[in-house]
Amino acid sequence: MFNFENVKAFSAIDANKDLCDAMREYAKNYIAERKGDVKAFSAHSKDEMEALVTKEFMARVSAMSGVEVGLTDNKTNAQRLANNIIVKQYANEIRDIMVDMVLPDILDHGALRYIAKIDYADLGDSIDYTIKNNRLFTVSKAGYRKAHGRLQKQFETSVTMTGENHEITVGDDLYNILTGSANIAEAVMKAGLSIEYAMLVDVIKAFEGAMANLSGSLAVANYDEKEAIRLAERITAYNQGRKAVFIGCPTALKGILPSNANYRYLLGDEYVKAGHLSTFNGFDVLPLEQIADLYDENDDYGLLLDDTKVYVVSPASDKLVKIGVFGGTITRHKDANDSGNLLQLDTINKAWNVDVITNSVAGIIKSFS
């Protein structure tokens, strides 16, 4: 698994080992619990692990700042500690490292992996993608007296991606941790999941935007079993034999069915259990977990994935969407005395970018009658 440079440097110090081990173990269980694993947090309870991470976090803040920091019921003292610029600086620095510690694991286990490839670079650097020509050379018949055939040369395309800064602003973070109304482990996971969600929104917009522009033999306007199979065969063939799969949200995948009116499903069949086929005429059917539209201004519980379309892609081929993650997390802090309402503000900065960069071929089934 990828490690950011700031995480490598922090983890290499023996005094930081207990915090690193505790946070990584907590993240592992947190992700497993999120995916429905009932064995998550079985060795130690979630509360115990959160308490351990908080203890080790405060121990490292105390050691690095030279100021004794710990849980307290004295809210005035907690406010003073949270306003202490040295304490705040080291708390933010350690929290940023903890976010970067768990972020690659969060991204690796999320829904991005079917359609997106994640690459990492340092802050201020760029990522160069070389798109190779996917076609083969043409072989033609020739007599023995002909020295050469038609000259063929394939050119590569290069695309450069640079990072774009993104930010999350939160209030009273350290104060809440010091008074016990929040814990650092959950705050770190929430920051990592928030970053993952924002990346996922970018990926879906880029992916669905590119797929919507497909036409001709790469698009099936209305679902037909034979045309769906033909499309999957075409995608497989033009991705050099890397087998195509049907992907989409469960509602859309429910429409992928044999057209034979005499076909019947029994209660024990996979279709009845899962709500969609797991294989269709020899091609896998993979559901993408539907995603809440948390940025919806109407707040009407909207969903992001288009449930009227099914996509045909080759996951083993070059991923359609590229995500570039640039450098470590950096937090800017605004002191409470600088705000009219005496509110502390932490702005977490993370740089990434998303674009459709690929030599793979994909297809779309646009609607179901």
Side-chain angles (χ1 to χ4, degrees):
M1 187 179 68
F2 177 83
N3 277 319
F4 291 95
E5 292 300 324
N6 57 346
V7 174
K8 290 179 183 178
F10 187 80
S11 301
I13 300 173
D14 289 340
N16 300 333
K17 187 176 184 300
D18 288 342
L19 175 58
C20 295
D21 291 345
M23 188 63 227
R24 286 191 172 111
E25 185 65 20
Y26 178 83
K28 175 184 173 182
N29 282 271
Y30 192 103
I31 293 169
E33 183 185 55
R34 186 179 177 221
K35 291 185 149 312
D37 187 348
V38 296
K39 295 182 179 180
F41 295 107
S42 56
H44 301 281
S45 72
K46 192 173 184 178
D47 290 342
E48 288 174 332
M49 295 190 73
E50 287 174 349
L52 177 59
V53 173
T54 297
K55 174 187 172 185
E56 294 301 330
F57 168 75
M58 291 186 175
R60 299 319 308 144
V61 174
S62 297
M64 295 173 73
S65 67
V67 179
E68 188 63 31
V69 176
L71 285 172
T72 179
D73 293 328
N74 187 331
K75 294 184 177 181
T76 301
N77 190 47
Q79 186 68 43
R80 287 196 181 101
L81 284 171
N83 282 341
N84 186 310
I85 189 64
I86 298 176
V87 172
K88 190 63 180 174
Q89 176 183 337
Y90 283 109
N92 283 343
E93 182 180 336
I94 296 171
R95 192 266 313 279
D96 290 344
I97 292 170
M98 292 167 70
V99 171
D100 288 332
M101 196 179 296
V102 303
L103 184 59
D105 205 21
I106 291 173
L107 297 178
D108 285 345
H109 287 85
L112 297 168
R113 62 188 183 277
Y114 292 125
I115 56 176
K117 179 178 182 290
I118 304 170
D119 295 293
Y120 297 89
D122 282 335
L123 193 65
D125 286 352
S126 60
I127 301 174
D128 292 323
Y129 293 98
T130 299
I131 305 175
K132 296 182 179 180
N133 193 310
N134 230 358
R135 293 186 176 275
L136 299 176
F137 292 113
T138 300
V139 179
S140 57
K141 293 181 180 180
Y144 288 108
R145 295 182 179 180
K146 186 177 181 180
H148 302 288
R150 180 173 60 86
L151 176 63
Q152 301 174 67
K153 184 169 178 60
Q154 295 181 348
F155 294 93
E156 298 178 344
T157 302
S158 181
V159 178
T160 299
M161 178 186 285
T162 57
E164 183 176 356
N165 190 49
H166 299 73
E167 60 186 24
I168 312 168
T169 300
V170 295
D172 272 349
D173 193 27
L174 181 57
Y175 171 80
N176 292 337
I177 292 170
L178 292 173
T179 55
S181 59
N183 69 77
I184 185 63
E186 191 169 41
V188 165
M189 293 305 298
K190 184 169 285 190
L193 292 171
S194 299
I195 292 170
E196 180 209 26
Y197 177 80
M199 288 183 183
L200 192 53
V201 171
D202 289 347
V203 167
I204 290 170
K205 288 181 178 178
F207 174 74
E208 290 191 341
M211 298 297 279
N213 290 326
L214 294 177
S215 60
S217 57
L218 296 180
V220 174
N222 292 291
Y223 175 72
D224 174 82
E225 182 182 3
K226 185 179 289 186
E227 286 303 314
I229 298 169
R230 185 176 286 120
L231 178 59
E233 288 178 327
R234 181 174 289 114
I235 299 307
T236 301
Y238 277 86
N239 284 324
Q240 298 180 335
R242 298 178 179 92
K243 199 163 186 180
V245 302
F246 295 94
I247 65 170
C249 70
T251 302
L253 293 178
K254 198 173 183 68
I256 299 289
L257 292 171
S259 57
N260 186 344
N262 295 319
Y263 202 94
R264 295 291 182 267
Y265 292 99
L266 303 176
L267 290 176
D269 287 343
E270 189 66 29
Y271 174 75
V272 177
K273 293 178 181 177
H276 57 82
L277 292 173
S278 57
T279 58
F280 177 69
N281 290 281
F283 295 96
D284 288 339
V285 180
L286 301 178
L288 295 178
E289 183 179 343
Q290 186 58 273
I291 301 153
D293 188 357
L294 301 180
Y295 300 157
D296 183 7
E297 295 181 356
N298 297 323
D299 196 24
D300 60 354
Y301 299 97
L303 298 171
L304 282 178
L305 287 174
D306 189 337
D307 61 8
T308 66
K309 296 178 177 62
V310 169
Y311 307 101
V312 187
V313 301
S314 297
S317 185
D318 185 42
K319 295 293 191 299
L320 300 178
V321 182
K322 302 297 188 294
I323 305 173
V325 184
F326 296 84
T329 303
I330 299 175
T331 294
R332 289 184 287 105
H333 170 65
K334 185 174 183 180
D335 189 84
N337 294 319
D338 293 334
S339 301
N341 57 4
L342 297 182
L343 180 67
Q344 283 189 340
L345 295 177
D346 285 341
T347 299
I348 302 171
N349 290 265
K350 191 73 183 178
W352 73 81
N353 210 338
V354 170
D355 205 352
V356 177
I357 303 172
T358 187
N359 64 358
S360 288
V361 178
I364 183 173
I365 302 172
K366 293 188 175 182
S367 63
F368 298 83
S369 55

